Amino acid sequence: MNIQYFIFAIIITLILFLVAMWIQKTTKIFIWNYIAGFSAMISYLFLDVTTNYIDLHYKTLKIQNPDALLWFLTTNKIWIIIVIYFIFLILFYKSRLFEIQVQWFLKKFFWYLFLPFLTVINLLFTMLLLINWPTVLTYDGYVKAVNNFHITNYLLLNFFNLIPFIIIFVPIFVLIIFLEIHIKLPVLKKKPKEWKKEEENVEHTGD
């Protein structure tokens, strides 16, 4: 099976799956993906520190075959990072730290219309980031990462070309969706009739 059609099938499946999950659950995946992805990227440093520590202190740690362990950690680094990412994502999703409620009907409509699509883009870019870190954060690195899929389909190619621009505007879009600004203007209250009568009596007394 051509890899580009496999990618296309994954995208459609994810979108339909997220649509079926409705707004609240999809929103949790959307938000927690950022934190899980960041946590997984930090794990690159953790693995480097771990391998360096094992290399220097394997006698103290009493590791019988340090070369085999170091080879495993170095060779399978990307897969280890992806496993850590999914563990973080599942744990964060199960937590109750964020319970988001979208009340306004118009917000629900736009959120339900765009959120699954944006979440899929978010997940795909996170995978590219974890696999190609940190080269994918440059334009040339991103283009090389996309070219590795050997995509020739026009729609799918344009979709991946637009992902960097969409990722940039996603936080702004989320802010607009969830931002609620309440502006209170000063209200000029009418004086009660009793106050007016008292003021008139004071004026008459003064005369």
Side-chain angles (χ1 to χ4, degrees):
M1 184 180 180
N2 195 317
I3 188 172
Q4 62 183 348
Y5 296 111
F6 179 69
I7 295 172
F8 186 75
I10 290 177
I11 292 172
I12 297 299
T13 303
L14 281 173
I15 290 176
L16 294 176
F17 175 73
L18 293 170
V19 167
M21 290 184 70
W22 194 239
I23 299 173
Q24 277 73 19
K25 292 181 179 179
T26 306
T27 304
K28 290 183 70 173
I29 294 175
F30 178 84
I31 293 176
W32 281 122
N33 175 70
Y34 280 102
I35 303 175
F38 180 73
S39 302
M41 283 185 283
I42 293 176
S43 299
Y44 270 110
L45 176 60
F46 172 75
L47 285 178
D48 288 340
V49 171
T50 301
T51 53
N52 184 65
Y53 187 83
I54 292 173
D55 188 35
L56 295 175
H57 302 91
Y58 65 91
K59 292 182 179 179
T60 306
L61 297 172
K62 296 181 180 180
I63 299 175
Q64 296 180 352
N65 195 352
D67 292 334
L69 179 59
L70 291 172
W71 176 85
F72 175 81
L73 293 176
T74 305
T75 306
N76 300 287
K77 182 183 289 187
I78 292 176
W79 290 109
I80 294 172
I81 295 298
I82 291 175
V83 170
I84 292 173
Y85 161 75
F86 279 109
I87 291 174
F88 274 121
L89 184 61
I90 292 170
L91 292 176
F92 287 144
Y93 176 78
K94 291 294 184 180
S95 69
R96 295 184 177 181
L97 185 57
F98 287 143
E99 294 293 339
I100 296 172
Q101 299 292 331
V102 182
Q103 303 293 343
W104 188 30
F105 174 78
L106 189 58
K107 283 187 178 181
K108 283 186 177 181
F109 174 76
F110 282 107
W111 209 223
Y112 186 72
L113 187 64
F114 294 111
L115 183 62
F117 179 72
L118 294 177
T119 304
V120 169
I121 291 176
N122 200 0
L123 292 171
L124 289 175
F125 186 77
T126 301
M127 283 293 102
L128 286 174
L129 193 57
L130 295 179
I131 295 171
N132 300 279
W133 170 262
T135 57
V136 77
L137 293 178
T138 64
Y139 178 73
D140 292 336
Y142 180 80
V143 170
K144 289 179 181 177
V146 173
N147 288 338
N148 289 334
F149 295 121
H150 304 289
I151 298 173
T152 56
N153 183 275
Y154 177 77
L155 293 176
L156 197 58
L157 190 60
N158 283 337
F159 171 75
F160 275 96
N161 288 334
L162 287 174
I163 282 181
F165 299 98
I166 297 173
I167 286 293
I168 292 172
F169 289 106
V170 161
I172 300 173
F173 177 80
V174 174
L175 182 63
I176 294 172
I177 290 294
F178 284 107
L179 186 63
E180 293 184 4
I181 300 177
H182 301 284
I183 300 175
K184 291 185 179 180
L185 298 175
V187 179
L188 298 176
K189 295 182 179 180
K190 293 182 179 180
K191 294 182 179 180
K193 293 182 179 180
E194 295 180 356
W195 288 9
K196 288 183 179 180
K197 289 181 180 180
E198 290 180 359
E199 289 179 356
E200 290 176 358
N201 292 332
V202 170
E203 290 177 358
H204 287 307
T205 305
D207 295 339

